[in-house]
Amino acid sequence: MVDATKKRNRVFDYFIEEEQFAGGVAWCAGCPLELTARFVPKVLGKKMIFVGTPGCAAPVLHGQNIGAWHHLAYMASVMTGVPSKATGLSRYYHKTGQEATVVCFTGDGCATDVGFQPLSGAAERNERIIYIAYDNEGYMNTGNQRSSATPLGAATTTTPVGKIKRGKPTPAKNMPMVMLMHKPRYMATATLSHLEDFAKKLTKAKEAAKEGFVYLHVFAPCPVGWRIDSNRVIEVCRTAVRTNYFPLWEAENGKPRFTLEVASPKPVGEFTKLMRKFSHLDENGMKDLQRTVDERFALIKGLCEVYKE
Amino acid sequence: MVSAQKGQVRVITGNAVGAYGALLCRPEVVAAYPITPQSEIAEQIAQFVNNGELDAEYVEVEGENSAMNVVLGASVAGARVFTATSSYGLVFMYDALQETSGYRAPVVMVNANRETPGIHAVSSGQQDMVSTRDTGWVQIIVENDQEILDQIIMSYRLAEDNNILLPVMVNYDGFYLSYLAEAVEIPLIEDVDAFLAPLKKQTPRQKLVPGVNIGCGTHGIEMGYVEARYKHCQAMERVKPKVDEIDKAFGDYFGRYYGGQIEEYRTDDADIIILASGSATGTVRTVVDSKREKGIKVGLVKLRLFRPFPAERLIEALQGKKAIGVIDRSVGFGWKYGPICTELRALSREIGTAPILSYIDGLANLDITIPHIERVVDELDTAAKGKPYQEVTWIPMEE
Ligand SMILES: Cc1ncc(C[n+]2csc(CCOP(=O)(O)OP(=O)(O)O)c2C)c(N)n1
Ligand code: SF4
Ligand SMILES: [Mg+2]
């Protein structure tokens, strides 16, 4: 068992389990979803159950007319039932004294849209489950359509750049903030460029899930849909953090704090220039996007101040 | 098996009975969401749990879709589970109903039948059950409060049988039975334990266990999918004799028999038959008796099993009859007949040449009355004599 308070310097120090996935899985080259899925069980251990759903994660997590591509227990669900199935599993394991870490693993589309109601319900009931939303800012599995997590201005196949409308007209649902307002036992944002931070949060999540609900929002850019070179995905993650586009924070019992504060954040243009989904934005479009980034950062910063000891 | 002890007789409503039925079977996880006319079940079970009378995890979900998903998850983990719903609640579970049967999860659910149209109708009717008939569930219809209780107990024996492993929906007429207080004999829990004990002697069913590499609900395509569907349909076929077998075992032990898939009342020498289901069958029985006194040879077949459809038993009961009237408490789109009538007509060749008359009655809390049934008998009598008849009659529209 990993001691959450022990000082660990390297990401490997957090691993309690070997690689659980087969090589050569059915994900696109350079996809951070793959890295996330491989990473999670190494830190959480073998007693975890993946509850997943249609989305890019599904073929690997649940198999496609074959077994899944990993060694763990898993339960597949339609998009509307993930946290509820996890609730049923977790309640029964708890009642019968079986050790288990029940992990919902879904995309942003499931979490923010069609699967939001049961997620909100499970969080409010404080179920002992971990919900990991990997955020690639759209419905990637069905061909890069917009989700509620798609950012302002971004081009997707259902918010295409046309002659009179160019990209998504509304900002992304601020999902980490929405979940914070549920006051979960533990929640955090994380991404692949900051692996120690991510591992530490998973370790905390595992402990916290013995008492209540945990939500992890993992930034996971999609090289195919966002049109990023597949060798630059981790750089995109790091730049998202350094521009405050995706700040790293956590909250225990609803009290947020930064796990990393960027000393002098770069403009969001440093982030958007690494991909082509924003390449149609003009100066005003970029200003609007910068404003949402600033507003969101100010909001979380303000809340951190409120709860500062 | 010796017989059970005499239970306590109490005058309680159908909804309270639903809750007692669940209590007696000791479900380990219950999830439910309130909806008229079922809400008392959700409330009463919560009270049982909070009083320590039922040792179950009770999940007060945020909607019916989650209720079904919670009990599905728990069932897959190995729990005995229970839930209850009605109407829009049932159809809000639609995707989860299909997953539950696809998982072959032995969930038991009570459904207080209510209209489920595109326009609101907070009133009784079997439309909810009919709208979910092809979700792969076993669907049973009961007539009175005692039967609600007894059928819940029998449903666990059915659902959790290793040769079946299917979810079971116990349907009763919402409003009519939900709020009707009747004398009900509540068996002793030890006797219910004894009745359900054979389930424990089976090889434990497959469960999702943490740390064991078992997958549930894979993306079956091609042959994997076909095989699962085939086995599901085969299991449905096995339900039919099993329902009869369990009914017999239940009757032998508790002293109450229901006929299994169907109940036949004065059918042996009958020329004409009314096929009905649910609470209205009591009225039909009364009319059968009074018409018999007038020399009309009429009988009743009470449909208890709707899914799978009890084809063999119906053929046996209806073969050679001279006219059959089917009373439907819901509508079907695409055929002019009521849904149960449409199903029965699939057996026309086996049944013989008897005219089959479809009656739509009792929608939206409209009573199926004695005069309505008398009219049905008279028309069947005419049809049986080879005279012209009307194929489909919406009784309330002609009053
Ligand atoms: C109820 C329902 N509606 C639509 C779909 C089609 N569908 C499959 S995956 C998907 C998008 C999922 O998006 P997200 O959760 O973000 O996962 P990603 O594909 O991005 O990994 C959709 C809409 C579905 N499977 N179920
Ligand atoms: S489409 Fe995008 S999110 Fe999906 S597997 Fe490929 S790179 Fe990953
Ligand atoms: Mg997505």
Side-chain angles (χ1 to χ4, degrees):
Chain A
M1 194 53 33
V2 175
D3 173 3
T5 56
K6 205 178 93 187
K7 179 115 183 86
R8 279 179 290 257
N9 300 318
R10 296 174 329 138
V11 64
F12 308 103
D13 299 336
Y14 291 88
F15 291 172
I16 61 167
E17 199 53 70
E18 299 291 304
E19 172 69 55
Q20 293 296 309
F21 283 82
V25 294
W27 281 314
C28 310
C31 177
L33 159 58
E34 171 171 353
L35 304 177
T36 307
R38 289 183 184 279
F39 190 66
V40 168
K42 286 190 204 166
V43 182
L44 295 184
K46 261 200 92 97
K47 289 283 170 80
M48 66 162 285
I49 291 184
F50 265 129
V51 189
T53 192
C56 282
V60 179
L61 290 194
H62 306 131
Q64 192 120 12
N65 211 33
I66 51 161
W69 305 47
H70 58 77
H71 300 302
L72 300 154
Y74 61 95
M75 183 172 186
S77 173
V78 294
M79 291 172 87
T80 45
V82 181
S84 307
K85 285 187 183 71
T87 297
L89 292 169
S90 149
R91 289 284 188 117
Y92 186 65
Y93 294 143
H94 193 257
K95 181 174 166 51
T96 48
Q98 301 178 64
E99 185 200 331
T101 308
V102 182
V103 179
C104 303
F105 194 83
T106 83
D108 53 286
C110 176
T112 62
D113 293 328
V114 71
F116 178 71
Q117 175 185 317
L119 166 56
S120 176
E124 187 275 335
R125 293 190 308 268
N126 203 25
E127 301 292 348
R128 295 181 197 86
I129 57 182
I130 299 176
Y131 194 110
I132 300 178
Y134 62 90
D135 185 1
N136 50 28
E137 301 188 339
Y139 302 149
M140 293 314 167
N141 193 234
T142 38
N144 188 24
Q145 297 90 3
R146 67 93 95 184
S147 76
S148 292
T150 303
L152 182 66
T156 68
T157 52
T158 49
T159 55
V161 178
K163 289 200 177 103
I164 54 170
K165 286 186 181 174
R166 297 166 66 79
K168 184 165 177 265
T170 55
K173 186 183 281 183
N174 192 344
M175 192 61 178
M177 191 57 64
V178 169
M179 293 315 293
L180 177 66
M181 292 300 126
H182 287 72
K183 219 165 181 264
R185 173 68 191 80
Y186 180 70
M187 69 165 290
T189 64
T191 192
L192 273 303
S193 53
H194 294 71
L195 281 179
E196 285 81 5
D197 177 81
F198 189 1
K200 202 170 180 177
K201 287 168 175 172
L202 278 170
T203 307
K204 282 189 184 178
K206 185 177 175 182
E207 284 309 304
K210 291 176 182 158
E211 292 164 16
F213 191 81
V214 174
Y215 179 75
L216 299 179
H217 195 101
V218 180
F219 183 71
C222 164
V224 174
W226 298 19
R227 287 169 290 163
I228 308 169
D229 295 338
S230 58
N231 60 348
R232 297 188 76 178
V233 172
I234 303 302
E235 187 186 341
V236 171
C237 295
R238 184 169 292 112
T239 315
V241 173
R242 289 192 175 157
T243 54
N244 280 341
Y245 181 87
F246 190 80
L248 294 174
W249 54 279
E250 66 180 3
E252 278 187 58
N253 299 314
K255 298 183 181 124
R257 66 168 204 95
F258 288 109
T259 56
L260 181 107
E261 260 190 287
V262 181
S264 39
K266 297 193 170 89
V268 73
E270 296 293 310
F271 165 74
T272 54
K273 74 176 188 201
L274 297 172
M275 62 206 72
R276 281 189 285 153
K277 72 171 174 176
F278 292 109
S279 52
H280 58 284
L281 289 189
D282 58 14
E283 206 178 311
N284 282 335
M286 284 306 296
K287 267 192 196 149
D288 290 342
L289 184 64
Q290 182 68 56
R291 198 174 307 119
T292 57
V293 170
D294 293 346
E295 269 174 23
R296 275 168 203 224
F297 185 75
L299 184 61
I300 186 65
K301 190 165 172 61
L303 280 171
C304 289
E305 290 299 322
V306 170
Y307 284 107
K308 215 175 210 165
E309 265 97 10
Chain B
M1 211 176 185
V2 289
S3 40
Q5 301 156 74
K6 176 106 185 96
Q8 189 194 26
V9 177
R10 293 183 57 186
V11 177
I12 50 175
T13 63
N15 283 346
V17 171
Y20 273 103
L23 174 73
L24 291 172
C25 297
R26 303 184 195 269
E28 295 158 292
V29 177
V30 178
Y33 188 82
I35 181 169
T36 303
Q38 165 280 122
S39 306
E40 288 78 9
I41 303 184
E43 295 168 357
Q44 183 69 60
I45 294 180
Q47 193 69 55
F48 287 150
V49 172
N50 285 8
N51 288 349
E53 293 166 73
L54 175 63
D55 178 21
E57 288 288 318
Y58 185 87
V59 189
E60 324 93 79
V61 284
E62 80 300 327
E64 289 87 350
N65 191 278
S66 285
M68 186 46 59
N69 275 300
V70 168
V71 294
L72 169 56
S75 180
V76 163
R80 175 172 291 172
V81 299
F82 181 80
T83 184
T85 191
S86 177
S87 185
Y88 290 103
L90 185 69
V91 295
F92 184 34
M93 294 174 176
Y94 197 78
D95 56 353
L97 291 177
Q98 312 207 43
E99 282 190 288
T100 301
S101 68
Y103 269 104
R104 304 290 299 276
V107 171
V108 173
M109 169 165 68
V110 155
N111 180 49
N113 293 122
R114 187 184 128 180
E115 289 289 359
T116 316
I119 45 172
H120 293 260
V122 187
S123 52
S124 197
Q126 292 176 333
Q127 201 70 49
D128 49 5
M129 176 191 77
V130 166
S131 302
T132 53
R133 70 178 146 185
D134 289 324
T135 53
W137 280 60
V138 175
Q139 294 177 313
I140 298 174
I141 312 165
V142 300
E143 176 185 347
N144 54 42
D145 286 1
Q146 184 72 57
E147 197 179 341
I148 297 174
L149 186 91
D150 296 345
Q151 186 55 55
I152 291 172
I153 299 166
M154 286 192 271
S155 294
Y156 281 102
R157 265 283 283 266
L158 178 66
E160 293 180 9
D161 188 299
N162 274 359
N163 282 321
I164 305 294
L165 291 179
L166 284 172
V168 177
M169 185 190 302
V170 179
N171 291 276
Y172 63 82
D173 286 321
F175 301 90
Y176 288 97
L177 296 189
S178 296
Y179 306 128
L180 172 74
E182 288 187 307
V184 174
E185 183 181 335
I186 300 173
L188 299 183
I189 196 159
E190 304 88 81
D191 287 332
V192 176
D193 289 343
F195 182 72
L196 297 178
L199 296 169
K200 293 222 175 92
K201 297 203 188 95
Q202 309 180 102
T203 332
R205 69 185 160 94
Q206 208 169 42
K207 295 168 190 165
L208 188 61
V209 180
V212 180
N213 181 214
I214 293 182
C216 288
T218 55
H219 267 193
I221 50 169
E222 300 169 359
M223 271 318 289
Y225 183 84
V226 176
E227 187 184 333
R229 285 303 238 192
Y230 175 75
K231 289 181 172 168
H232 190 158
C233 288
Q234 295 294 101
M236 274 297 212
E237 283 303 303
R238 292 194 292 273
V239 164
K240 294 188 272 184
K242 200 71 181 175
V243 167
D244 293 339
E245 184 190 316
I246 293 171
D247 189 76
K248 166 119 187 10
F250 188 89
D252 290 349
Y253 190 53
F254 289 103
R256 290 183 294 277
Y257 297 88
Y258 294 97
Q261 305 172 55
I262 58 171
E263 184 205 316
E264 294 178 59
Y265 183 69
R266 304 185 82 163
T267 53
D268 279 353
D269 65 337
D271 291 330
I272 59 176
I273 299 283
I274 294 180
L275 176 65
S277 66
S279 61
T281 47
T283 313
V284 180
R285 237 181 248 113
T286 309
V287 175
V288 166
D289 290 344
S290 63
K291 288 286 183 188
R292 282 263 175 182
E293 275 168 30
K294 293 188 182 109
I296 300 180
K297 285 191 177 169
V298 56
L300 158 73
V301 171
K302 168 171 134 180
L303 187 77
R304 297 190 74 247
L305 190 60
F306 178 57
R307 274 290 177 272
F309 201 65
E312 296 79 8
R313 292 268 322 259
L314 284 171
I315 293 167
E316 210 184 301
L318 300 176
Q319 229 162 18
K321 301 298 179 197
K322 295 192 181 131
I324 301 157
V326 186
I327 298 175
D328 269 288
R329 220 166 186 150
S330 63
V331 304
F333 297 103
W335 291 92
K336 57 188 173 178
Y337 320 108
I340 295 174
C341 184
T342 305
E343 305 250 336
L344 185 74
R345 291 181 69 93
L347 303 175
S348 299
R349 194 176 59 81
E350 291 88 340
I351 290 170
T353 51
I356 299 175
L357 281 65
S358 176
Y359 291 92
I360 311 289
D361 199 10
L363 302 186
N365 269 7
L366 288 180
D367 294 334
I368 298 179
T369 63
I370 288 178
H372 288 188
I373 305 296
E374 285 173 343
R375 168 201 173 142
V376 171
V377 175
D378 295 343
E379 287 174 5
L380 288 174
D381 196 34
T382 313
K385 289 175 181 136
K387 294 191 188 139
Y389 57 88
Q390 187 168 312
E391 262 198 315
V392 182
T393 308
W394 286 58
I395 295 178
M397 297 296 286
E398 296 198 356
E399 278 204 307

